[in-house]
Structure formats: structure tokens, C-alpha cells
Amino acid sequence: MKKVILITGASSGMGKETAKKLIHEGHIVYTVARRIDQMQDLLEMGGHPIKMDVTIEADIDSVIATILKEQGRIDVLWNNAGYGLYGSVEDVPLDQARNQFEVNVFGMAAMTQKVVPIMRKAKSGTIINTSSMGGKMYFPMGAWYHASKHAVEGLSDCLRLELKPFNIHVVVLEPGFIATEFGSVLLNQFENINKDSAYRNMMDKIIEGTKKSEQPGGSSDPKVISDAISKIVNSNKPKTRYKVGKFSKMMPWMRVYLGDAAFDSIVMSQM
């Protein structure tokens, strides 16, 4: 069945690769991101790219109005927009931390609030929220990113129960290491952190590990995400969670079953 799908954060990486697959499958795919120039290939494929910032309500209202005018419905919302903010809790300015939540949590919530009434009226729909394996475990220097993804997990669980009576599915996507721009963005952030930081040695270890994940074999191809999203979109009864990509199952398992002390020791042994 052809579905009307709205994807945020679709200018690169997981969002873009998945949009291509869904367009190829025959779905009507609206892709939104701030960098519309990077979505022209999706337009040429038959997609519907629109410039939008998830932190600007007027942008969201305009996109929703456009889709309803052109299609009359929204069957699937994939809240995929987000980024990782790294640095110690002591060093990261709070205005940057607030923006992390504005994009990763409140942007997702704003999109959801606009789309849910449409799905309720139709008595059907699927909302996919991108969390991370980092929403179930943690690394030092990633407190604000992990906090935002833990929030996505909690919000999604409550939302799932709230929307169950209306036949709206809420699915949490928990990627592991995926070959996207995430690593390069993280490395650029570290370049701007105070070289005299008390956490410099720890940051250097994180940088080293990130560079390894950027090498061939260090991360999973975004195709594993596009395959998972396709499965969710085309399912009448999707699972509540999809752990996809390198380390996505192993690391959260270690966090739960080894306990705090053992997991902390393993993580710090790499620092």
C-alpha cells in the first residue's frame, strides 16, 4: 500500500538513504531539513523535499499544511532530525545544552503534536522516533547527547500508551554505529573545545575511538537503517523497538546485565 511519509533530518545519512528506498518502493515521501540544497537528488527521484527547521513552529505548520493540501493525510512520521553534542558537563555551555534538547527532544515533540491529530482523525498511523543505543547506555563526554536520547526513550514509551487506543503505532529506532556525518560532526566539536580542559586526556581517547569508527568496518552501512524503516513502514504491526547497526544490541545488553560498576569499569578501561 502506498503511504504518505514525512521524514525529518533527511538531507544526509540515514534519513536520505531511507528516503531513496521508500521512494523507490513507490511511497509518497516528504523530506525536510535545513539544507534543502542537499536534497535535490531526492526531488529528481520523485520525492518532495522542503526546507524546514524542527525548532521553528511556523516552518512545521507550513510543511504540515502543504502535505495536507497535496495529499490529504500523513500515514507515517519519522522523527529523525538530531545531532550529538559532546564535551564534559563542566565545559559545555548551557545554551548549547539547551539547543541539544530543542532539536533532539522538543523538535521531535513539536512535530508529533502537529501530526497526531491528523492520525487520530484517520484512526491509523505510525510514528517512528530516532533514539540511539546511547539512549540505553552512556559514554563520558556525551552527557547532553545521552540525556536527550534517554528523554526520547521515555517520551516515546508514554506516547505509545497514549496513542494505542487510536490505532497509532509508536516505534523507537535505536541505531548503533552507523556510517554517517555523526562522527565528523563530533570531531569538529572537539576541535573547538578548550585545549586546556581538565578532561583533555579523556577527550583525546574519545577522538581516537571516533576516528576508528570512521574507518572501513568501524560502522554499519546506512542501508541497515533503510531496511529497518522500510520494514516498519510496510508492517501492520511493527515492533516497539528496532536495534540496528554495529554494537546496537551488545552495548545496551552489557549496560543492563553487567550492572553499573562492571559497565563503568569497561568504559573507563578505554579511557
Side-chain angles (χ1 to χ4, degrees):
M1 176 184 173
K2 181 185 294 187
K3 294 185 178 180
V4 178
I5 304 169
L6 172 56
I7 304 174
T8 68
S11 62
S12 65
M14 302 188 307
K16 190 170 193 177
E17 289 305 308
T18 302
K20 290 178 179 178
K21 182 178 181 65
L22 295 175
I23 293 169
H24 181 72
E25 290 177 354
H27 296 292
I28 302 168
V29 183
Y30 284 80
T31 56
V32 296
R34 292 178 301 171
R35 301 177 296 182
I36 192 167
D37 57 300
Q38 296 193 20
M39 297 189 290
Q40 291 307 301
D41 52 342
L42 298 178
L43 176 64
E44 294 169 3
M45 290 180 65
H48 304 265
I50 306 174
K51 183 177 182 179
M52 195 198 81
D53 187 325
V54 295
T55 67
I56 300 176
E57 185 175 8
D59 279 10
I60 299 174
D61 287 338
S62 177
V63 167
I64 298 299
T66 296
I67 299 174
L68 289 181
K69 181 179 179 181
E70 295 178 357
Q71 309 299 334
R73 70 185 201 276
I74 297 174
D75 301 310
V76 179
L77 167 64
W78 179 18
N79 285 308
N80 179 59
Y83 71 100
L85 176 64
Y86 277 74
S88 72
V89 172
E90 180 181 347
D91 289 336
V92 173
L94 288 181
D95 62 338
Q96 293 183 21
R98 290 188 183 97
N99 191 65
Q100 174 80 121
F101 273 75
E102 282 295 331
V103 175
N104 289 9
V105 181
F106 294 111
M108 178 191 78
M111 292 296 302
T112 300
Q113 287 185 337
K114 300 293 185 180
V115 170
V116 162
I118 300 166
M119 292 183 172
R120 273 198 300 102
K121 185 176 180 180
K123 295 183 173 60
S124 68
T126 299
I127 297 173
I128 307 167
N129 292 334
T130 298
S131 178
S132 164
M133 70 175 187
K136 291 293 183 63
M137 38 73 68
Y138 50 85
F139 290 117
M141 314 306 293
W144 296 112
Y145 173 71
H146 288 291
S148 73
K149 292 304 184 181
H150 276 68
V152 168
E153 295 276 344
L155 188 151
S156 299
D157 284 337
C158 294
L159 183 68
R160 182 177 67 253
L161 299 181
E162 293 170 3
L163 298 184
K164 190 176 182 63
F166 304 104
N167 194 36
I168 301 172
H169 303 288
V170 177
V171 178
V172 181
L173 181 69
E174 298 175 336
F177 286 3
I178 307 294
T180 66
E181 293 180 342
F182 189 94
S184 59
V185 170
L186 188 154
L187 292 174
N188 289 336
Q189 286 181 16
F190 278 133
E191 289 297 321
N192 297 323
I193 292 178
N194 184 359
K195 304 298 182 183
D196 297 325
S197 169
Y199 308 91
R200 189 71 238 176
N201 290 338
M202 193 175 288
M203 285 192 287
D204 288 342
K205 291 294 185 180
I206 298 291
I207 290 171
E208 181 181 333
T210 301
K211 288 181 177 178
K212 287 182 180 179
S213 72
E214 295 275 272
Q215 297 173 358
S219 301
S220 296
D221 190 284
K223 184 179 183 298
V224 300
I225 298 293
S226 62
D227 288 344
I229 296 295
S230 174
K231 185 180 297 184
I232 296 167
V233 167
N234 293 298
S235 173
N236 291 324
K237 292 183 178 180
K239 297 188 297 183
T240 58
R241 278 177 169 78
Y242 288 76
K243 302 177 187 297
V244 185
K246 192 165 186 177
F247 301 128
S248 64
K249 297 178 181 178
M250 181 183 74
M251 295 299 291
W253 182 91
M254 291 171 61
R255 167 69 183 91
V256 172
Y257 291 101
L258 296 183
D260 293 342
F263 187 78
D264 287 359
S265 295
I266 291 171
V267 171
M268 293 308 292
S269 71
Q270 305 301 311
M271 296 296 112

